[in-house]
Amino acid sequence: MADNNIGGGTQTPPPGGNPSGGSDGNGTISATAGAVVFDRSKNGSGRSVGPVASSSNWTPPACYYAPKYTPDQLQGYLEPIWEAGSTGYEWDASQRDRYVDGQPYTDFNKDKAGKGYWWSSYVSQGREGDPGALDCDRPFFWVDTGDPPPADVPEAITPEMLAQLAYAEIRVPGTEVTLAPAGTTKVNLPTWSWLDAAEFKPVSVTASVPLLGIEATTVAEPVSLKIEPGTADATTYPASGVCQFDNGRIGEPYAAGKSDRTPPCGVKYLRASGDTSYKLRATITWKIHWTGTGVNAAQPLPDGEFGADQDVVVQEIQAVNR
């Protein structure tokens, strides 16, 4: 069994790859999913956080290959299956040929104990029903410590793939904007909107495979807010509806004396909402990149988005007859 000085102890792949998690008491939250360890201590937190969705059709991998068993662990996993006989004689015999009788491995590679690991597939958490999870169907294969996995295994874990897995773990704050007037506004009255900049700062997740000494940190940084009024009878400020971050803030809080100004970020409704309300949607775009083992500069990943709806009641301005 190989000794890997990680956290002062021996680390081996968890049989079966069951997820686990914990904290080191200093706020460093980690979770192990098979061979991959996630550090979420710099991730978004709070009641309203959620995952970003790629602004394109890109998704992180649904499955990947990584170290799973030592020679003794693989033997302990496979032999009870063979002895049960439920998989059929021919399949069991072919398995013994592959892992015991030298075609191509002998005695579970016990002569290489401590010099490598048996690799197998893992399904990314939450992707169990994804068709892509079926792409990783290779039988167990051996990789010596320090050697790259076989070139014909595109799903083998790499720093870039770790970055993609960390992307799926990113959590960002909710996007309910502050409005002035709040709750109820008037037809043709510019409504100012802004976000508390203190809540919108870069977040990151680090994914690593301690057994391989590789890691990647994926960082998400807010760059813009898109306002969608919930009706075509509205004008947005700016016209595109996209408000850029400026000096660490989005939009500008309304204050007395600004009533004759055009809001840098906001909306003007042209028609009353009647007995209902409009669903204003506010969506933050997050610029995402990663750094990690073997890369010299930040590498881009697809932008992510996270948004939410809120109700806005729009009333007609009542004329006063004297």
Side-chain angles (χ1 to χ4, degrees):
M1 189 170 295
D3 288 329
N4 295 275
N5 294 321
I6 302 164
T10 299
Q11 169 132 354
T12 57
N18 296 322
S20 62
S23 172
D24 66 0
N26 296 314
T28 301
I29 302 170
S30 65
T32 302
V36 177
V37 177
F38 294 101
D39 178 354
R40 303 187 183 94
S41 61
K42 297 180 181 178
N43 208 3
S45 60
R47 180 176 55 85
S48 64
V49 299
V52 293
S54 170
S55 56
S56 64
N57 291 327
W58 178 88
T59 58
C63 69
Y64 57 93
Y65 293 99
K68 196 163 212 175
Y69 294 125
T70 65
D72 284 341
Q73 287 173 334
L74 185 62
Q75 180 181 17
Y77 173 72
L78 288 178
E79 285 192 338
I81 297 175
W82 301 340
E83 291 168 1
S86 58
T87 49
Y89 172 80
E90 290 186 3
W91 186 87
D92 293 347
S94 69
Q95 291 285 288
R96 286 191 177 92
D97 283 345
R98 176 175 174 82
Y99 298 110
V100 180
D101 296 334
Q103 299 183 50
Y105 306 109
T106 301
D107 194 22
F108 299 99
N109 267 11
K110 287 183 180 179
D111 62 324
K112 291 190 172 185
K115 300 177 183 178
Y117 287 100
W118 289 103
W119 287 43
S120 188
S121 62
Y122 295 87
V123 175
S124 302
Q125 192 167 359
R127 304 288 295 279
E128 291 81 1
D130 193 309
L134 302 177
D135 292 342
C136 302
D137 58 357
R138 290 176 63 104
F140 300 106
F141 57 92
W142 180 266
V143 179
D144 287 335
T145 299
D147 284 354
D152 62 345
V153 186
E155 301 90 356
I157 200 72
T158 62
E160 182 176 6
M161 191 173 291
L162 285 173
Q164 295 170 356
L165 294 174
Y167 186 111
E169 301 298 317
I170 289 287
R171 297 295 181 267
V172 297
T175 51
E176 183 172 353
V177 295
T178 302
L179 300 174
T184 301
T185 187
K186 304 295 184 182
V187 171
N188 291 322
L189 177 67
T191 300
W192 293 55
S193 61
W194 66 94
L195 287 168
D196 181 358
E199 296 183 15
F200 291 88
K201 54 187 178 182
V203 300
S204 66
V205 171
T206 297
S208 62
V209 181
L211 293 170
L212 301 179
I214 60 174
E215 68 173 25
T217 297
T218 298
V219 179
E221 182 177 2
V223 292
S224 65
L225 164 69
K226 183 176 182 180
I227 298 290
E228 296 174 279
T231 173
D233 294 314
T235 298
T236 55
Y237 305 102
S240 65
V242 178
C243 309
Q244 300 295 329
F245 272 69
D246 183 22
N247 295 323
R249 71 182 185 188
I250 315 166
E252 181 181 325
Y254 178 79
K258 295 183 178 180
S259 60
D260 59 345
R261 288 176 47 190
T262 298
C265 183
V267 60
K268 179 172 68 176
Y269 287 96
L270 308 178
R271 187 185 299 271
S273 57
D275 296 331
T276 182
S277 60
Y278 293 124
K279 293 288 186 182
L280 180 146
R281 184 164 186 82
T283 303
I284 293 285
T285 294
W286 297 77
K287 199 78 174 176
I288 302 180
H289 68 268
W290 71 276
T291 58
T293 305
V295 300
N296 297 320
Q299 304 296 309
L301 285 168
D303 290 351
E305 297 178 344
F306 186 57
D309 295 336
Q310 59 196 88
D311 293 326
V312 179
V313 176
V314 182
Q315 299 175 341
E316 295 283 358
I317 297 176
Q318 299 299 317
V320 177
N321 296 317
R322 296 185 184 274

